[in-house]
Amino acid sequence: MAKTSDISGFYKLPIDERVAKIREVADLDDEEVDAIRNTGVLGDDLADRMIENVVGTMPMPLGMAMNFRINDKDYVVPMAIEEPSVVAAASNLAKVARKRGGFHTSHSGSLMIGQIQVTGVPDPWGARAKILQHKEDIMTKCDMCDKVLVRFGGGARDVIVRVIETMSGPMVVVHLIVDTRDAMGANAVNTMAEAVAPFLEEVTGGRVYLRIISNLATYRVARSWAIFDKDELGGEEVVDGMIKAYHFAAADPYRCATHNKGIMNGISAVVIATGNDFRAVEAGAHTFATVDGGYKPLTKWEKTADGHLMGVIEVPMAVGLVGGATKVHPTARANVKILGVETADELGMVMASVGLAQNVGALRALATEGIQKGHMRLHARNMAVQAGAPIEIVDEVVRRLAQMERFDFGTVEEVVAEVKKEKGLQ
Ligand code: NAD
């Protein structure tokens, strides 16, 4: 049968029938069906309610990063990630930070921005003035949308109006500034933006199109700093190399993308582990990296008077402990308990600290032996499986590869074949 993606009414089918359809279309064998069909801890009901057209779940390793001490409190940090060496690096560098007091953090508060795009206004500056005149009314309308949020101390805090030039002419862009407390807040803010739009049309005579949260959460910034002991890092020369690596990122967007990706290795792993929206955090972080012009590192590195490495991170952290999947996903709930955070602000500050630890880990590896040696040793397990090693010989294959200090795929294949032969597995 030719492969088709036009399966009418797929969404209405029970999960087993959806899987049967996919099996037929993609010619899956039993093992492949088992690999997609397992709904794990979510079970069919929960998984099927979370998104559409569900056939199963996609498990990902969950590791615990150790040694994090943040504002004199200890944290075990759950990280969900498919990439080797991230959890190990976070744990190692958190240990280095511990020697000089751990991480110290602050937060700008839990304010999100909802945008409303008003178009077709002949007098945009006049419209701006009229909207601001009705600021209190607008904020009251927002608060009326979410009494629960208001009860938890949140709600509208400000209205900012910008006039921007676009390819369609000037537009009036209204920013609702909303304190979303322990929620990430996208749904809450989107609801408010939609609710006040007709009033804005009335006040301005314009036409509203978009009403949606901005993921550039500049009023929800988490900061963390730590001092990393020069001797633990490998001496002053290593520190100098690391600072030069940072200067390279600050001067060159090609390097900077990878510098910031390394930071997000840590942050996104905690965002996923806690059931938060990693696309929102990623989009916010990378755009925040551009707000001062150019694309810049999310971290800053310098040497203290006594030669240690001081690092600072500042990153928008639109994450929650309620709302979205955070309270729905049983693993996310357990992870939040392991983490022991009380507020979304605290969660954001932990995530920022993990990002800082991850960055210093990458800088140290890059400025010394390169990241591949450690990374490939850890990645060798995946490569062995990919080369056809049954699980019982993976450790032996990795041991031999480490002894040879060779991790290219060709060698992995040779070693897998060799061990399989010795054990009579082929
Ligand atoms: P939500 O609507 O599920 O929950 C938030 C609500 O929980 C609040 O509005 C409030 O009424 C209630 N609440 C209860 N206790 C609270 C407390 N202590 N603090 C604050 N609120 C409390 O979720 P949300 O956080 O508004 O939105 C997050 C979801 O929106 C995520 O799933 C995200 O993926 C999705 N989303 C994101 C975007 C985007 O980022 N661009 C766009 C649309 C939707």
Side-chain angles (χ1 to χ4, degrees):
M1 181 180 137
K3 197 178 266 190
T4 175
S5 62
D6 184 6
I7 307 174
S8 116
F10 187 79
Y11 72 100
K12 289 190 218 152
L13 299 175
I15 296 185
D16 279 328
E17 286 179 40
R18 284 184 205 143
V19 173
K21 290 269 183 213
I22 297 299
R23 174 199 277 266
E24 197 184 323
V25 166
D27 195 21
L28 300 183
D29 61 26
D30 287 349
E31 210 177 309
E32 287 158 341
V33 166
D34 286 348
I36 62 163
R37 176 64 185 89
N38 182 2
T39 47
V41 71
L42 294 180
D44 284 8
D45 282 354
L46 209 47
D48 206 22
R49 261 185 285 142
M50 286 176 76
I51 64 162
E52 310 74 40
N53 292 6
V54 163
V55 294
T57 53
M58 164 92 192
M60 194 186 268
L62 173 68
M64 297 289 152
M66 297 294 151
N67 306 320
F68 275 89
R69 189 157 182 81
I70 305 170
N71 303 330
D72 295 325
K73 177 176 165 187
D74 266 53
Y75 294 87
V76 169
V77 184
M79 301 178 81
I81 187 159
E82 85 298 344
E83 188 177 345
S85 68
V86 172
V87 181
S91 302
N92 288 340
L93 276 301
K95 192 167 191 177
V96 175
R98 240 180 135 86
K99 182 164 177 194
R100 301 214 155 251
F103 298 85
H104 310 271
T105 69
S106 65
H107 202 282
S108 68
S110 41
L111 300 176
M112 296 298 290
I113 302 168
Q115 293 195 295
I116 303 159
Q117 173 201 30
V118 189
T119 65
V121 182
D123 53 346
W125 291 104
R128 179 179 181 273
K130 286 182 220 157
I131 294 168
L132 288 174
Q133 198 184 329
H134 290 285
K135 186 164 153 172
E136 293 303 322
D137 298 334
I138 294 167
M139 295 205 296
T140 305
K141 281 185 199 302
C142 289
D143 285 350
M144 275 161 46
C145 297
D146 201 333
K147 298 221 167 71
V148 177
L149 180 61
V150 173
R151 182 146 40 85
F152 280 99
R157 293 287 178 268
D158 202 358
V159 177
I160 293 169
V161 188
R162 301 159 59 218
V163 176
I164 61 167
E165 274 309 321
T166 78
M167 287 186 281
S168 312
M171 284 178 196
V172 180
V173 180
V174 181
H175 283 192
L176 305 175
I177 313 297
V178 183
D179 189 343
T180 62
R181 309 302 287 178
D182 286 331
M184 179 268 185
N187 289 325
V189 169
N190 293 347
T191 307
M192 292 177 183
E194 290 189 9
V196 300
F199 182 65
L200 295 176
E201 286 185 332
E202 208 178 291
V203 169
T204 60
R207 160 97 197 263
V208 168
Y209 282 92
L210 271 61
R211 301 143 293 166
I212 182 134
I213 196 151
S214 168
N215 286 113
L216 179 53
T218 46
Y219 304 117
R220 200 174 197 174
V221 172
R223 311 175 196 97
S224 179
W225 65 268
I227 292 173
F228 298 86
D229 189 277
K230 63 173 181 229
D231 298 322
E232 298 286 331
L233 291 173
E236 205 145 350
E237 212 180 305
V238 173
V239 171
D240 289 340
M242 292 169 74
I243 290 177
K244 284 202 167 59
Y246 157 61
H247 290 167
F248 178 14
D252 176 24
Y254 287 92
R255 169 60 209 147
C256 194
T258 322
H259 179 100
N260 287 343
K261 188 273 181 185
I263 294 170
M264 299 315 288
N265 273 343
I267 292 178
S268 293
V270 191
V271 174
I272 294 170
T274 54
N276 274 288
D277 184 337
F278 57 95
R279 291 83 55 208
V281 172
E282 289 272 353
H286 291 292
T287 316
F288 188 71
T290 69
V291 287
D292 289 332
Y295 178 75
K296 298 293 176 195
L298 294 163
T299 50
K300 305 226 175 328
W301 294 98
E302 54 200 14
K303 233 190 320 188
T304 62
D306 37 10
H308 301 297
L309 185 66
M310 144 70 94
V312 185
I313 184 168
E314 197 162 351
V315 60
M317 213 43 87
V319 290
L321 291 175
V322 297
T326 53
K327 278 261 190 278
V328 177
H329 199 303
T331 316
R333 281 206 310 269
N335 286 339
V336 168
K337 187 169 175 186
I338 293 165
L339 206 44
V341 291
E342 310 263 314
T343 63
D345 289 356
E346 187 184 357
L347 176 61
M349 292 187 287
V350 170
M351 289 170 173
S353 304
V354 175
L356 188 64
Q358 215 70 61
N359 189 215
V360 72
L363 292 180
R364 181 174 65 170
L366 287 166
T368 54
E369 61 179 7
I371 64 164
Q372 281 312 79
K373 201 167 165 202
H375 189 79
M376 290 312 279
R377 194 166 298 145
L378 292 167
H379 187 50
R381 298 185 64 81
N382 292 341
M383 292 170 78
V385 173
Q386 213 177 308
I391 211 73
E392 66 267 26
I393 69 162
V394 168
D395 283 347
E396 178 57 20
V397 170
V398 172
R399 198 188 61 73
R400 291 187 194 188
L401 291 167
Q403 217 169 27
M404 295 159 75
E405 297 211 0
R406 292 275 304 273
F407 296 103
D408 59 287
F409 195 65
T411 310
V412 176
E413 280 184 318
E414 278 167 29
V415 173
V416 168
E418 178 183 291
V419 179
K420 268 170 118 178
K421 196 164 169 202
E422 281 172 25
K423 307 237 178 233
L425 291 169
Q426 52 193 15

